[in-house]
Amino acid sequence: MYAVIRTGGKQYRVAEGDVLRIEKVAGDVGTEVTFNDILLLGGTDSPKVGRPTVEGAKVVGKILAQDKHRRVLHFRKEKEGWTRRRGHRQPYTEVKVTSIAG
């Protein structure tokens, strides 16, 4: 069974046992997080498509890590001879999907 969930402004196709990195979600390492925005449930005889979400469906996951991605550099150069270099590290949450209920 698989599901399409929406979190952090993005959509992810997940199945039980998948490990994914999503936008930061509040919670400590080891706690469970529940996703209620389920857009599609599949893997059975016919998929359930939500309008906009599937009623009563949820995906439960366990938080494995709270970390930051590698640094992304932004470099800017102007004609006058000056340059500017700035960086950014986006925080993420690593989640392992434990169950899908529909």
Side-chain angles (χ1 to χ4, degrees), residues 19-98:
V19 176
L20 61 143
R21 290 181 176 180
I22 59 174
E23 294 292 320
K24 184 154 176 88
V25 176
D28 294 328
V29 175
T31 59
E32 286 191 347
V33 62
T34 303
F35 302 103
N36 293 321
D37 282 347
I38 311 302
L39 304 176
L40 182 132
L41 279 175
T44 57
D45 52 350
S46 64
K48 293 181 186 177
V49 179
R51 293 187 181 132
T53 60
V54 178
E55 295 296 325
K58 67 177 183 176
V59 172
V60 178
K62 183 178 179 181
I63 296 177
L64 299 179
Q66 297 276 15
D67 207 359
K68 292 182 181 180
H69 285 287
R70 291 180 54 195
R71 187 171 174 161
V72 178
L73 294 176
H74 308 280
F75 185 76
R76 204 173 137 199
K77 183 176 179 185
E78 294 290 332
K79 280 185 188 178
E80 290 81 23
W82 64 272
T83 59
R84 175 174 289 158
R85 192 178 121 182
R86 292 187 175 178
H88 173 72
R89 291 185 70 189
Q90 184 71 25
Y92 69 86
T93 302
E94 194 169 70
V95 176
K96 180 173 185 174
V97 177
T98 56

